[in-house]
Amino acid sequence: MRYAGRPLTADYLAESLRWTYDRTADALAYAWDRPDLGGPYALRRAAPHHFTPSPRNDVLTDQQMDWVHPADHAPAWRTPHRPPGSRRPHRHDVALGLFDAIEAHPWLASQLTAQLSHHPTGPVTTRIFEAIGRQVHALDAPASSWLTATTALMHYILGAAGQNAANLVRARDLGPEADRSAYMDTVAGAWKRLSPEDYPFTRAVADQGLNHDDRVQFLAGIDLIIAGVTAQPPTLQ
């Protein structure tokens, strides 16, 4: 329903899903009674016999509303908030805006990724592409690299932010007594016990310790990609 672009009837849904009408009607009734099941969306009746998903104001921030359903909300994220006197690069603001939103709502990563995959011409995909692409353009990188650089940054931001959010969910599942440092030390210890012939690099990284600040590491990845974008190709003699 999210990608249909228009409200749908129960008859149309039943035919599309190859379900019986009764099964479709029961599913719609259940979704109507349980709006929490739809993540950022709740079922809304657009006409007496037409249904459509609607973004939930009770779980989405203003910024998330603009990402998930920009047509229903003002484009607040085009000018990311910057603390007074901040010297942080604008590209970090855009990336951290997505990072923080996905950290607060882990389901957002899959929603945005689905938009990129299934609706590349839609407003969500194009606004994310535009916001990140403007930062690439500001680097004075060659125009021939814009598409590759922007796409690489998009996939890195959503992938790394999504992985971070998944890690936080798993940490919460371990209980309130879980200690991040102790967990990372346990992982490092397991890596150190790997075969030195088969895993020399992994063991070397474990020797350095795995504890880190997730946001600092995330921004370091952004800067690593940017360094590649702005690197001057070698001059052929």
Side-chain angles (χ1 to χ4, degrees):
M1 293 181 72
R2 172 65 188 89
Y3 303 108
R6 67 184 191 282
L8 303 176
T9 64
D11 287 330
Y12 184 90
L13 283 169
E15 181 179 354
S16 300
L17 297 171
R18 297 182 180 178
W19 288 3
T20 64
Y21 178 84
D22 288 342
R23 180 185 179 186
T24 304
D26 288 343
L28 288 170
Y30 190 69
W32 185 273
D33 292 336
R34 294 289 306 277
D36 56 299
L37 296 177
Y41 293 101
L43 191 65
R44 179 171 63 87
R45 193 184 296 272
H49 302 291
H50 290 72
F51 300 88
T52 188
S54 178
R56 294 175 56 192
N57 295 323
D58 59 324
V59 299
L60 297 173
T61 65
D62 288 346
Q63 192 175 58
Q64 293 161 4
M65 281 285 289
D66 189 45
W67 289 333
V68 175
H69 209 292
D72 284 2
H73 202 70
W77 77 315
R78 287 185 174 176
T79 305
H81 170 71
R82 294 177 62 78
S86 173
R87 300 181 64 182
R88 192 170 63 203
H90 280 280
R91 60 180 176 270
H92 284 183
D93 290 330
V94 174
L96 284 175
L98 284 164
F99 184 90
D100 291 339
I102 292 171
E103 182 176 85
H105 301 285
W107 45 259
L108 190 57
S110 61
Q111 290 286 340
L112 293 176
T113 301
Q115 287 285 332
L116 299 182
S117 300
H118 302 298
H119 204 31
T121 61
V124 174
T125 300
T126 51
R127 287 198 180 189
I128 294 176
F129 189 84
E130 178 69 21
I132 296 174
R134 289 186 185 185
Q135 308 312 311
V136 172
H137 180 269
L139 298 171
D140 292 328
S144 59
S145 71
W146 290 353
L147 176 61
T148 299
T150 303
T151 302
L153 283 167
M154 285 176 64
H155 288 297
Y156 169 77
I157 290 170
L158 294 179
Q163 184 62 54
N164 173 71
N167 290 343
L168 292 178
V169 170
R170 184 176 185 279
R172 285 195 291 267
D173 290 342
L174 295 176
E177 303 302 321
D179 184 285
R180 173 192 167 94
S181 295
Y183 175 74
M184 297 304 290
D185 288 343
T186 299
V187 174
W191 284 12
K192 291 177 183 179
R193 292 191 294 274
L194 294 171
S195 165
E197 291 78 18
D198 296 333
Y199 300 96
F201 178 80
T202 303
R203 286 169 53 92
V205 170
D207 286 338
Q208 300 174 21
L210 301 182
N211 278 313
H212 61 274
D213 184 298
D214 292 327
R215 290 166 67 87
V216 171
Q217 186 187 62
F218 174 72
L219 293 179
I222 296 288
D223 290 339
L224 186 63
I225 296 175
I226 294 300
V229 174
T230 56
Q232 294 295 323
T235 302
L236 297 179
Q237 299 296 331

